[in-house]
Amino acid sequence: MLEHWRMFAAYNAWANRRLYDACGARPEADFSRDGGAFFGSLKATLNHLLVADRIWLARFEGEANPAYRLDTVLFEDLAALTAAREFEDARLSDYVGRLGPDDLGGVVTYRRQATSEDIRQPLAQALAHIFNHQTHHRGQAHALLTQFGGVEAAPSLDLAFFLRGVR
C-alpha cells in the first residue's frame, strides 16, 4: 500500500509540472483572468492548492495549522508560485516516502480552518483527500487553460499517461 501513495505523490508532482508549464506558455494576462472557476482564476486556483497542501502537510507533521484562509493568494506571479509548488511537492513526496507500513493505520488529529472543530481522521483517508483535492482543482485549472487557449493549451494530466512514462 505504501507504493500506492508514493505513486500518487510522484504523479502529483508530474501533473503539477505539466500544468504549470502550460500556464507559463499562456499570455501573462491569462494567469489572473477570471474564467468563472470556483476560485476564479488560474492564479487563485493554484494558490488555493498550495495553501491547502501547506495546511495538510502541517497536520500530517503534527504542526499547528498555518493561519491561511483557503482563498489566500500567497504568490502574485507564476514564477514564485511555481517555485513554491515544486517545494511543496517535494515535501509531500518526502513525507510519503518516510511512511512505514504501520503509519497508514494511524490517525491524523487536527482543527479545521473554517471552524474550531477538532477532527480525527485515519491517515490513509487524509492522504486520499489531499491527492483527490489536487486532481479536482487541477481539473478546474485545466478547464481554464482550455477555455483561454483551446484544447492544445492544456496538457494531458491522465494518470495513465504518467504510468506509461509520457513526458
Side-chain angles (χ1 to χ4, degrees), residues 39-115:
F39 286 94
S41 66
L42 288 163
K43 176 174 70 174
T45 300
L46 298 177
N47 268 280
H48 166 70
L49 281 173
L50 182 67
V51 164
D53 282 1
R54 285 182 173 181
I55 290 168
W56 278 104
L57 281 164
R59 291 170 177 172
F60 292 160
E61 298 284 6
E63 300 168 0
N65 279 344
Y68 301 134
R69 288 174 38 103
L70 294 175
D71 61 354
T72 299
V73 172
L74 298 171
F75 298 96
E76 293 289 335
D77 68 283
L78 181 59
L81 183 58
T82 299
R85 175 76 267 161
E86 289 171 354
F87 182 80
E88 291 308 313
D89 286 344
R91 276 186 65 208
L92 182 56
S93 291
D94 179 65
Y95 173 78
V96 171
R98 287 184 279 120
L99 292 175
D102 294 338
D103 295 322
L104 291 176
V107 172
V108 177
T109 302
Y110 60 92
R111 180 160 286 195
R112 288 192 59 219
Q113 296 295 101
T115 67

Side-chain angles (χ1 to χ4, degrees), residues 22-23 25-31 33 35 42 140-155:
C23 288
R26 299 294 312 144
E28 191 174 323
D30 283 355
F31 184 59
R33 182 176 165 190
L42 288 163
Q140 291 175 343
H142 191 276
L144 290 172
L145 285 169
T146 302
Q147 176 184 335
F148 299 158
V151 176
E152 59 281 347

